[in-house]
Amino acid sequence: MAAPRILVLESERLMRDVEMGEDSPTTKKPVGSKLERRFPLTRWEFAAALGVFLVFAIGLFCIYLTMPAADYGKLKLPRSISDLRILKEHLATYASIYPTKFILGYCSTYIFMQTFMIPGTIFMSLLAGALFGIIKGIFLVVFNATAGASSCYFLSKLIGRPIVYWLWPAKLKLFQAEIAKRRDKLLNYMLFLRITPTLPNLFINLASPIVDVPYPVFFLATVVGLVPASYVTVRAGLALGDLNSVKDLYDFKTLSVLFLIGFISILPTILKRKRIYE
């Protein structure tokens, strides 16, 4: 008689689980709830992100309204080196006639793209070299990249945590562990990441506030660390005719130089650890 009694009790427990909606191994979860959890943002977070995007977009549109007349049909974000050559030919005269307004529009577009992770900033960096030369081009690229990265940092601090956990859960855990190990020399480590292509800049911008990288460290590492890569792209922009693909920018020689500079940036950390072990 014990077996039927056990079956009756188990059946009653299962019925209670179904009625109360408890998460038990034997109850099925609604398909809708799984689909809702796939989207990382809540409605309020999504509304905040959309609001920030619209504010930036409206500001950018207002800036373009103040620009002198131009053939806007030819103004589009380049997606290849050939597109960039056409855009450069169209903008060269415009930039020379209206330098201040052109730089305002260029900077606004670059920062907007960097803030909202829109692909194509590499072409904007090449365009800076083609139109402004090395010195002015490097200054513009580093300024815009740092401003855009800073905007992305604070936007991620506001609503980025669920997005980063959703996109890169394993990479974020590894990054968090590396940051925790290098708290005493965090600036050197962040410089290494900025100088070398070890981690994508997009991931660094989004993940840094989540793993508690202080903004002063983030800012300084960005300003200094982006200079070598900016020099490479700006210098390549001076000779667009000799460039066939973006992949040509980072050959073995260029990557070796970047990693050498990055190694120098973390050399103090390595020497300090060696002294501790000795």
Side-chain angles (χ1 to χ4, degrees):
M1 298 294 292
R5 181 176 178 79
I6 292 173
L7 289 175
V8 171
L9 292 174
E10 183 68 17
S11 300
E12 292 177 354
R13 186 183 66 82
L14 289 175
M15 290 298 294
R16 285 197 304 270
D17 289 349
V18 171
E19 291 174 358
M20 297 176 63
E22 294 177 357
D23 291 333
S24 68
T26 54
T27 56
K28 291 184 178 180
K29 298 176 183 178
V31 176
S33 63
K34 289 183 178 180
L35 292 176
E36 288 176 3
R37 282 196 298 273
R38 289 179 185 174
F39 190 70
L41 297 179
T42 65
R43 292 180 180 178
W44 290 110
E45 288 171 337
F46 178 75
L50 183 61
V52 173
F53 178 83
L54 289 176
V55 168
F56 270 78
I58 292 172
L60 185 63
F61 180 71
C62 292
I63 290 174
Y64 278 110
L65 289 179
T66 64
M67 295 290 178
D71 188 358
Y72 291 104
K74 296 181 180 179
L75 295 180
K76 65 175 183 177
L77 294 178
R79 288 290 177 260
S80 65
I81 297 298
S82 58
D83 290 345
L84 185 62
R85 292 194 190 103
I86 296 173
L87 184 63
K88 183 253 180 181
E89 293 298 326
H90 180 67
L91 292 178
T93 305
Y94 189 92
S96 62
I97 298 176
Y98 309 103
T100 303
K101 292 186 176 182
F102 177 80
I103 290 176
L104 178 62
Y106 172 87
C107 293
S108 303
T109 305
Y110 198 121
I111 295 172
F112 180 80
M113 294 173 66
Q114 189 85 346
T115 300
F116 295 101
M117 301 153 283
I118 300 174
T121 53
I122 184 68
F123 295 110
M124 298 293 288
S125 300
L126 289 167
L127 186 63
L131 294 177
F132 302 112
I134 291 183
I135 303 299
K136 194 174 181 179
I138 291 176
F139 175 80
L140 283 173
V141 170
V142 172
F143 170 79
N144 291 316
T146 302
S150 298
S151 299
C152 189
Y153 176 97
F154 289 112
L155 185 62
S156 179
K157 195 169 186 177
L158 176 66
I159 58 168
R161 184 177 296 272
I163 297 176
V164 179
Y165 272 107
W166 184 49
L167 293 175
W168 306 289
K171 187 182 290 187
L172 182 64
K173 289 181 181 178
L174 179 61
F175 186 48
Q176 192 168 24
E178 293 297 320
I179 292 295
K181 288 191 298 185
R182 294 171 170 84
R183 283 290 174 187
D184 55 336
K185 291 289 184 180
L186 189 55
L187 178 59
N188 298 86
Y189 180 62
M190 293 298 294
L191 276 172
F192 175 80
L193 294 180
R194 283 300 195 189
I195 294 170
T196 63
T198 307
L199 286 175
N201 282 325
L202 168 62
F203 175 79
I204 297 173
N205 296 343
L206 288 172
S208 291
I210 297 172
V211 298
D212 297 324
V213 174
Y215 178 69
V217 173
F218 176 87
F219 174 81
L220 190 57
T222 302
V223 171
V224 178
L226 290 180
V227 172
S230 298
Y231 172 78
V232 172
T233 52
V234 169
R235 188 169 179 269
L238 292 173
L240 281 180
D242 300 331
L243 199 63
N244 297 318
S245 170
V246 175
K247 296 179 181 178
D248 297 339
L249 289 173
Y250 297 101
D251 54 14
F252 178 77
K253 181 180 178 181
T254 302
L255 289 175
S256 300
V257 172
L258 290 178
F259 272 101
L260 177 61
I261 299 173
F263 176 77
I264 294 173
S265 69
I266 61 172
L267 189 59
T269 305
I270 297 174
L271 294 176
K272 181 180 179 180
R273 287 186 177 181
K274 185 177 179 182
R275 286 195 298 268
I276 292 174
Y277 290 139
E278 289 177 351

